[in-house]
Each structure stands twice: as C-alpha cells, then as structure tokens.
Amino acid sequence: MRVSVAVVTGAGSGIGRAVTVALLEKGYRVALAGRREQALRETLTEAPVALDRALVIATDVTDAGAVRALFERVVAEWGRVDLLFNNAGVFGAPAAFEDVELAQWQTSVDTNLTGSFLCAQEAFRAMKSQSPQGGRIINNGSISAHVPRPHAVGYTATKHAITGLTKSISLEGREYGIACGQVDIGNAVTDLSAGIGRGALQPDGSVRVEPMMDVRHAADAVVYMAGLPLDANVQFLTVMATNMPYIGRG
C-alpha cells in the first residue's frame, strides 16, 4: 500500500506542529517546512517513532525559489505530493488601522497570502504532473477569514483573501483530481494565541479573557479533511472554542 506524502508549512510551531505530529501518527510521510530548522527538529521530538517518515526542509515561504526547491526535494525523495497543509503565517504587531505601517502590511501580505499562493502553486504543479494524478491542498484560513479582530487589518485582509485562493484552486483543480479545502480555526491554544487566553481586545474597547480549546482538535479536523478520498472534499470547516466571541462577535 502506497504511503501518502504530505507537506506542512509552518511546521515548527503551533497548529503546524500539531498537524505534523498527527499526520505522522496516521502513517503519512511528512515534509516539515519552516524558517527555523531547529524548531522543525523540535517538532519531531513529539513523534520520535516516525523519524524515518519525516523530512526537515528549512524554507522561507516568501521566497519563490525556496518554495520551488522544497517541492522539488520532496518529489525527488518520495516521488509525489499527496497533501499540502498550507499553514505558514504571521499575525503581525497589533495596531490601529490608521497607525499600520506599510512594512507591517507588506509582511502580512508576503507571508500569509503570497507565501500561501507560492506553496499552493508548486503543490498544484506537482499534483497535476504526477501519476496517479491529483492530491489535496488544505489552506489554513481563520475565524478572521470571516470576521475581524480589532487592530488586525493585515491578518484579517489576508485571511479573507485565503478564502478566494481556496475557491480558485478548488475550481481549477477539478480537471486534475486536485481537491482544495479550508480550515478556519478559532482560539486553539498555541504560542501565537496564548495572549488571547489571558485577555484580548474586544470591539467595545474592553479586554476580556476568551475561551480556548486544545490545538489537537484543530489537528484532528485537518487529518479528517486529509483522509477523505479525492472524490469527496470538505470545502470549508470551522473548528473553534465553543464559547469564543464569533457568532455575534463584539
């Protein structure tokens, strides 16, 4: 039986780390991509029995050449790409809309949107050309792909754009057996989101502690999406802390 090959970006921390470990536990071969090689290797300490099915590749997703080299390495090592979890992203420094510096905005766009595009494009090319043809791309959106948090215009705008990217890939992938879906995660406990559990700015100006959930629930959702046959697809999936401010946010 052929072992499925996955690429996870942002695999060195947070949701990317949790998904990487979950996929390895399910028997996938996983290429871990991220800027910091040491962080990627630390992820593997949580799945030590699967080291023979893991490939660590330091990658800056904003660099088109580095992204191309990532997928070329995976295909050279394992022959194909069955799954991309397109996860790398940055929240950015919180700032009121009028105070956001262009450099801050550009960093969000370069990482969250352009980086996701570059990774998806290389995965798409590999999936289209391989035999058997096809594969699955899962983009990491966010609750912020639906509704904003205060002082987070760069993150909000780029995550809304991920929804458009997801729909475009899903449409154009039909002909080649390439499925694309999006997971929108809310208040999973990670280093990035830890501050929300201590108190987050609300639209009315108050700061409130928000409910959180274990990041494993997000990882389980991604594994479910990944495990479907290619004639079935979860187009959008929202998994979040039950009582977080989303429905009726603010």
Side-chain angles (χ1 to χ4, degrees):
M1 183 175 178
R2 182 170 58 81
V3 177
S4 293
V5 174
V7 177
V8 178
T9 65
S13 63
I15 293 166
R17 174 171 288 183
V19 169
T20 296
V21 172
L23 289 172
L24 287 168
E25 289 175 347
K26 280 289 185 180
Y28 285 76
R29 289 173 170 167
V30 182
L32 292 72
R35 289 174 300 157
R36 297 173 295 126
E37 182 175 340
Q38 182 57 38
L40 299 174
R41 297 197 179 280
E42 288 171 4
T43 294
L44 290 180
T45 64
E46 299 186 21
V49 297
L51 296 181
D52 61 327
R53 289 185 282 104
L55 191 62
V56 170
I57 307 174
T59 307
D60 178 356
V61 299
T62 69
D63 181 334
V67 172
R68 188 177 308 112
L70 163 66
F71 284 89
E72 287 175 349
R73 173 86 184 278
V74 173
V75 172
E77 291 277 348
W78 289 331
R80 60 184 294 111
V81 177
D82 296 293
L83 172 69
L84 166 65
F85 181 46
N86 212 1
N87 167 72
V90 295
F91 188 81
F97 182 78
E98 68 273 20
D99 296 327
V100 174
E101 297 180 1
L102 179 58
Q104 291 176 284
W105 169 265
Q106 197 63 58
T107 295
S108 295
V109 172
D110 288 349
T111 305
N112 299 350
L113 182 54
T114 303
S116 293
F117 163 77
L118 291 171
C119 291
Q121 187 179 57
E122 289 299 330
F124 192 104
R125 288 168 172 164
M127 292 169 181
K128 178 182 175 181
S129 63
Q130 64 198 12
S131 180
Q133 192 177 61
R136 189 181 308 274
I137 296 168
I138 301 174
N139 292 325
N140 187 357
S142 170
I143 294 297
S144 290
H146 302 267
V147 287
R149 285 190 178 277
H151 296 181
V153 64
Y155 189 76
T156 301
T158 53
K159 289 301 185 179
H160 273 67
I162 290 296
T163 300
L165 179 67
T166 298
K167 292 177 179 178
S168 291
I169 297 167
S170 192
L171 175 63
E172 297 197 31
R174 289 176 185 171
E175 183 179 354
Y176 310 110
I178 300 171
C180 184
Q182 180 171 314
V183 60
D184 295 324
I185 300 164
N187 286 17
V189 176
T190 65
D191 292 341
L192 179 67
S193 67
I196 295 171
R198 295 191 294 268
L201 180 65
Q202 304 297 312
D204 63 2
S206 65
V207 176
R208 301 177 198 164
V209 173
E210 294 189 8
M212 306 293 290
M213 70 171 184
D214 193 305
V215 70
R216 182 67 197 216
H217 302 312
D220 288 344
V222 174
V223 170
Y224 166 70
M225 295 171 73
L228 290 171
L230 289 179
D231 60 357
N233 187 42
V234 176
Q235 190 66 64
F236 294 97
L237 186 155
T238 301
V239 57
M240 61 184 222
T242 302
N243 292 327
M244 70 171 289
Y246 167 50
I247 304 298
R249 179 181 277 192

